[in-house]
Amino acid sequence: MTPKVAAFLDSSALATPCLVLDLDRVAENYAALRHALPAAKIYYAVKANPAAPILRLLAGMGSCFDAASIQEINECVAAGAPPATISFGNTVKKPGAIAAAHALGVPLYAFDSLEELRKIASHAPGSKVYCRIAVNNVGADWPLSKKFGTTLDCARDLMLMAPQLGLVPHGLSFHVGSQQTGTVAYEMAIAEVAMLFTNLKAAGVDLKMLNLGGGFPVRYRDDVPGTDTFGDAIMTAMTKHFGNDLPDMLIEPGRAMVGNAGVVAAEVVLVCRRMPEDDRRWVYLDIGRFGGLAETEGEAIRYRITAGTGATGPVVLAGPSCDGVDIMYEKTPYRLPLDLQAGERVLIHDAGAYVTSYASQNFNGFTPLAEHYL
Ligand SMILES: *Cc1c(COP(=O)(O)O)cnc(C)c1O
């Protein structure tokens, strides 16, 4: 938690749940990513946190944007991002959204199927396209591998077909999975896509761009390698496999740009033992799986959570809704103070990414968490 966030939490009688996020930390993260990979252009993955103050800050710093919908594209443009700096990175787009993006001047479109390539050809003729490759997501706490990407062979056929459809075959992309805790997945993916660059060049298609996706991790409860470690490993792998014929490099950090900038303040609603024989207390908070903590699904993202002071004991953590799956942590050991009471404040640290954007609308009447950008 940054001093600015701490001071704000101390001074204000805040309605909870809410996110308090320090924009200076976002600026620092942007600078750190630039420093770690100076050869790469940064396309902020808007879905991690689409708040206007974040988009305005990053647009002002010269960031580009990875958008998944026409709504996200419009939000970026409203925040001052030139359409030329936006990539329509979702491989699953509505035809009307492609046409609207094209009309705005968005130049770059992702695909991973022939059907999507045809849609882009119809609704954004002449655009630059890049094909997403499915890569191993080993090391990722929040994998993205099954739903997206195609094989190297299919990508080759599709890229050869793109010019016939009136499109510019511009590059390839991959995503090694979110909260990626190691460098191996990047190294393996770079080796694979480099082979396809070579193969396509021999076939007369000279690709210009490699989009390395996001995945860079945030330190939650466990230590993770620093941004520079990822930058060094990526540049070493790029040089090994591309020599001095490097393509334009793009990265699409989401979590690493905003995660550690924000803290969620929540309130304890109930502390009890479900059964007399329970050895753990159940702690119900005013935020849960439906209030924005969606990444606690499978206990995949394990936030650092603190409250009060004094001796602690083991707890199960659950949300306030009337849904049985609204339990955040049952298997992962969490401890909170033994004297914790309803009404007390709990802090969920490093929650700047993938919380506000996942909050449901009024489930059980609970309004989405408030947001404070400092
Ligand atoms: C979600 C997403 C990202 C951001 O991933 P992080 O792990 O948050 O860095 C980047 N690119 C694409 C295509 C995505 O879907």
Side-chain angles (χ1 to χ4, degrees):
M1 184 161 45
T2 69
K4 207 156 75 167
V5 170
F8 184 81
L9 286 171
D10 275 349
S11 67
S12 334
L14 284 175
T16 67
C18 68
L19 171 72
V20 185
L21 186 142
D22 186 344
L23 291 166
D24 292 344
R25 180 58 73 83
V26 177
E28 284 167 29
N29 291 338
Y30 180 80
L33 286 157
R34 291 277 315 135
H35 178 266
L37 265 177
K41 267 197 196 159
I42 296 178
Y43 280 66
Y44 171 57
V46 176
K47 75 173 187 284
N49 188 325
I54 292 175
L55 300 183
R56 282 198 295 266
L57 170 76
L58 290 174
M61 293 183 82
S63 182
C64 301
F65 296 90
D66 168 50
S69 65
I70 189 64
Q71 290 84 352
E72 282 188 354
I73 290 170
N74 287 335
E75 286 164 23
C76 291
V77 172
T85 64
I86 300 171
S87 163
F88 205 162
N90 195 342
T91 56
V92 183
K93 298 177 283 300
K94 286 187 173 182
I98 298 171
H102 185 59
L104 274 175
V106 171
L108 204 51
Y109 297 80
F111 72 97
D112 60 8
S113 66
L114 174 59
E115 293 76 4
E116 187 72 12
L117 189 62
R118 286 194 196 284
K119 267 158 59 186
I120 300 168
S122 306
H123 301 284
S127 294
K128 291 177 181 168
V129 291
Y130 61 95
C131 187
R132 180 157 169 181
I133 310 293
V135 298
N136 195 321
N137 277 197
V138 60
D141 286 344
W142 192 259
L144 301 165
S145 45
K146 194 173 76 180
K147 186 173 168 186
F148 305 105
T150 185
T151 63
L152 292 175
D153 281 348
C154 288
R156 180 179 188 277
D157 293 344
L158 293 169
M159 288 314 252
L160 289 173
M161 207 176 286
Q164 296 162 25
L165 293 170
L167 295 166
V168 180
H170 188 61
L172 300 177
S173 75
F174 59 75
H175 197 301
V176 295
S178 201
Q179 187 65 7
Q180 173 54 257
T181 58
T183 57
V184 177
Y186 289 100
E187 289 157 347
M188 291 193 305
I190 290 167
E192 276 192 48
V193 296
M195 291 192 297
L196 185 51
F197 268 74
T198 308
N199 181 303
L200 277 169
K201 194 168 191 169
V205 173
D206 199 3
L207 297 182
K208 296 281 188 288
M209 181 276 279
L210 176 59
N211 178 341
L212 301 132
F216 311 100
V218 161
R219 187 189 195 291
Y220 294 108
R221 302 209 320 173
D222 301 322
D223 226 349
V224 292
T227 313
D228 284 333
T229 304
F230 287 94
D232 291 346
I234 285 170
M235 274 325 288
T236 302
M238 288 297 294
T239 309
K240 178 174 168 191
H241 296 287
F242 287 89
N244 47 23
D245 192 17
L246 287 185
D248 292 345
M249 292 166 61
L250 269 57
I251 54 172
E252 300 174 329
R255 189 185 303 280
M257 191 75 83
V258 292
N260 66 1
V263 173
V264 165
E267 182 181 315
V268 176
V269 182
L270 175 68
V271 183
C272 68
R273 285 177 206 269
R274 290 252 54 83
M275 301 292 166
E277 65 274 20
D278 264 357
D279 55 351
R280 290 182 297 180
R281 294 161 299 153
W282 281 63
V283 174
Y284 296 81
L285 303 179
D286 61 358
I287 186 169
R289 287 275 284 280
F290 299 97
L293 302 180
E295 289 195 314
T296 59
E297 162 95 39
E299 308 193 17
I301 299 299
R302 296 170 294 279
Y303 296 100
R304 193 163 65 82
I305 298 179
T306 58
T309 51
T312 61
V315 294
V316 174
L317 279 155
S321 76
C322 301
D323 192 303
V325 309
D326 190 8
I327 299 171
M328 282 85 82
Y329 302 111
E330 228 181 333
K331 301 192 189 78
T332 312
Y334 271 87
R335 299 177 69 85
L336 286 174
L338 291 167
D339 60 3
L340 191 70
Q341 305 277 345
E344 281 186 52
R345 186 181 280 180
V346 167
L347 296 178
I348 303 168
H349 298 267
D350 306 303
Y354 301 117
V355 174
T356 55
S357 49
Y358 267 132
S360 63
Q361 286 289 334
N362 302 317
F363 181 47
N364 274 160
F366 299 118
T367 47
L369 72 165
E371 301 174 45
H372 306 278
Y373 295 92
L374 313 179

